[in-house]
Amino acid sequence: MKFPIFIENSRLPIWLSKIVPIDVYAFSFAIWVVCRGEMSDKTKNHETIHYVQQKEMLFIFQWLAYGAFWLVNFIRSGNGAEAYYKNPFEEEAYENDSNLEYLKNRKPYAWIKYI
């Protein structure tokens, strides 16, 4: 089986949008990528970058680090959406999601350079 597993046309991102500070179109959680519509190659690449980040940190440690980065950025800015976009995991994914070859050459823990 090839990972991540893409799940399109799901209501989960819509429900998640009600409790987080951004409008969620797609998200990566463990081996699944869930999207409210059909995913473009760019969206699949963005979420696969997150999958690789999670995998290299044994999933749980990435989730903890993601939450810690978000919290620190929220305390600094007072803005949940800004805290999301300043998260180094998101910065790496957004900066490279248009480069569909990025994951072929990505070095482990590449998100560290965004701290």
Side-chain angles (χ1 to χ4, degrees):
M1 179 174 276
K2 187 176 181 208
F3 295 111
I5 299 168
F6 296 104
I7 302 168
E8 297 177 308
N9 301 309
S10 171
R11 297 196 51 76
L12 279 176
I14 297 167
W15 298 334
L16 185 58
S17 294
K18 295 177 188 293
I19 60 171
V20 298
I22 63 162
D23 188 28
V24 177
Y25 180 68
F27 67 93
S28 176
F29 183 77
I31 63 170
W32 302 279
V33 172
V34 183
C35 184
R36 66 169 64 189
E38 292 185 22
M39 284 182 255
S40 66
D41 289 341
K42 181 178 179 178
T43 299
K44 286 181 179 180
N45 196 44
H46 180 101
E47 298 303 333
T48 302
I49 291 168
H50 288 316
Y51 165 73
V52 171
Q53 292 166 342
Q54 291 175 68
K55 189 171 83 167
E56 72 191 359
M57 296 182 71
L58 306 176
F59 296 98
I60 188 71
F61 296 109
Q62 192 271 351
W63 302 333
L64 293 171
Y66 190 105
F69 284 121
W70 183 88
L71 184 59
V72 167
N73 289 328
F74 180 74
I75 291 168
R76 288 180 180 161
S77 71
N79 182 305
E82 186 176 327
Y84 163 80
Y85 287 107
K86 288 192 173 191
N87 191 311
F89 297 109
E90 293 300 339
E91 289 182 321
E92 179 192 9
Y94 277 110
E95 185 171 305
N96 298 289
D97 59 11
S98 293
N99 178 357
L100 302 182
E101 300 296 312
Y102 176 69
L103 286 168
K104 290 179 182 175
N105 301 311
R106 178 187 181 270
K107 294 183 177 159
Y109 302 96
W111 56 270
I112 291 173
K113 77 177 188 178
Y114 297 90
I115 296 176

